[in-house]
Amino acid sequence: MTSQANTRASIQQVSKQYGQHWAVRELNLVLKPGELFAFLGPNGAGKTTTIKLLCGLLRPTVGTIEVDGYNLATQGLQARAAMSYVPDLPFCYEHLTAREFLELAADLHGMDKQLAAQRMDEVIRLFELEKFIDQLTERFSHGMRQRTVFAAAMLPEPKLLITDEPTVGLDPRSVRQLKDILRNHTSKGNTVFLSSHSLDVVEQLADRIGIILGGKLIGCGTLEELRSQASHNGPLEDVFLKLTQTEEQRAGVDGP
Ligand SMILES: Nc1ncnc2c1ncn2[C@@H]1O[C@H](COP(=O)(O)OP(=O)(O)OP(=O)(O)O)[C@@H](O)[C@H]1O
Ligand SMILES: [Mg+2]
């Protein structure tokens, strides 16, 4: 363990190359306990790549990532024990019911049986899975699947929850519930790292925001700090567009 008490995860000088293309370039980011950090950027900017690097699904070409004080490359088991990940396309094993899927998740997290049973009751209530908890997930709509995968991710009360575009495809009530759940999670000292194109959700939820463009972090801070960087006092949407357009003009960055 090398990191400091006020650090939940750190991304240090991380770059990721796919073939000849650098999808993430010299990224430095520190995530703190109790904060909700939102990652924004246009299509192809490098958000999902960064998220997969942080979860350990991809290895950085260059650089170091630490989670909960553990180096993801050399102490992967300990680092991964502190986190849960909800991908942009939620995946459930089709031949399991939602309840069996949650039981599998509890086993994979090595949870004690009694604690797992108690937490299962809690997440089933929290994500309102009661009506379909004993159905096979193969019949689930996108939103039902998303809520089931989220419930599985929240079972162990992860210190770091990582989620890629969590509100896509959720109905307004589910979005509202998810926002409350994420806020409640950080209020207990846990960290949430999410990517999103829903700037209104980010504006309401995020403690800090990072903006990535062409694999480079072009802005990072509170909404107030980003407003000051953009010299613009409006909503996040305007601030985001101004910062990305200015940077595109400056650097001549191409799209995906
Ligand atoms: N497996 C891969 N092989 C090669 N290139 C990839 C791969 N995955 C992503 N890329 C490229 O890396 C860049 C970043 O992609 P990434 O998926 O991280 O973007 P994103 O910010 O999540 O975009 P979106 O908002 O569309 O989800 C893009 O140029 C993409 O084409
Ligand atoms: Mg993506």
Side-chain angles (χ1 to χ4, degrees), residues 158-180:
K159 288 184 190 170
L160 174 61
L161 176 72
I162 303 164
T163 164
D164 201 356
E165 304 196 26
T167 56
V168 169
L170 290 184
D171 64 38
R173 180 182 158 95
S174 302
V175 171
R176 179 56 174 277
Q177 282 169 338
L178 185 63
K179 286 194 292 192
D180 292 345

Side-chain angles (χ1 to χ4, degrees), residues 18-19 21 23 41-50 88 164-165 197 212 255-256:
Y18 292 121
H21 178 67
N43 293 135
K47 300 180 299 299
T48 296
T49 303
T50 302
D88 47 356
D164 201 356
E165 304 196 26
H197 294 298
I212 187 170

Side-chain angles (χ1 to χ4, degrees), residues 12-55:
Q12 301 157 24
Q13 279 299 109
V14 164
S15 297
K16 175 67 187 175
Q17 191 176 27
Y18 292 121
Q20 294 301 306
H21 178 67
W22 289 95
V24 172
R25 298 187 269 174
E26 296 171 357
L27 181 63
N28 289 291
L29 215 52
V30 172
L31 305 178
K32 300 172 197 163
E35 80 169 341
L36 192 147
F37 190 98
F39 211 35
L40 310 182
N43 293 135
K47 300 180 299 299
T48 296
T49 303
T50 302
I51 280 179
K52 287 184 175 168
L53 288 164
L54 184 56
C55 303

Side-chain angles (χ1 to χ4, degrees), residues 238-255:
D238 295 350
V239 172
F240 171 79
L241 290 174
K242 184 148 186 228
L243 286 176
T244 49
Q245 275 161 10
T246 306
E247 186 61 25
E248 270 167 356
Q249 282 158 5
R250 200 187 63 74
V253 173
D254 296 327

Side-chain angles (χ1 to χ4, degrees), residues 64-128:
T64 306
I65 299 176
E66 287 185 0
V67 177
D68 202 26
Y70 297 102
N71 184 315
L72 199 50
T74 56
Q75 300 165 294
L77 274 182
Q78 294 98 319
R80 272 191 287 272
M83 60 167 123
S84 288
Y85 164 53
V86 180
D88 47 356
L89 296 172
F91 171 79
C92 300
Y93 292 98
E94 308 262 291
H95 300 298
L96 298 184
T97 65
R99 189 187 301 281
E100 288 165 344
F101 184 75
L102 292 181
E103 285 166 355
L104 175 67
D107 280 350
L108 290 175
H109 282 291
M111 290 175 74
D112 161 82
K113 286 260 175 287
Q114 203 180 342
L115 175 65
Q118 178 202 323
R119 284 291 300 152
M120 271 181 59
D121 287 346
E122 286 168 15
V123 297
I124 289 168
R125 246 195 337 270
L126 209 55
F127 289 92
E128 297 189 345

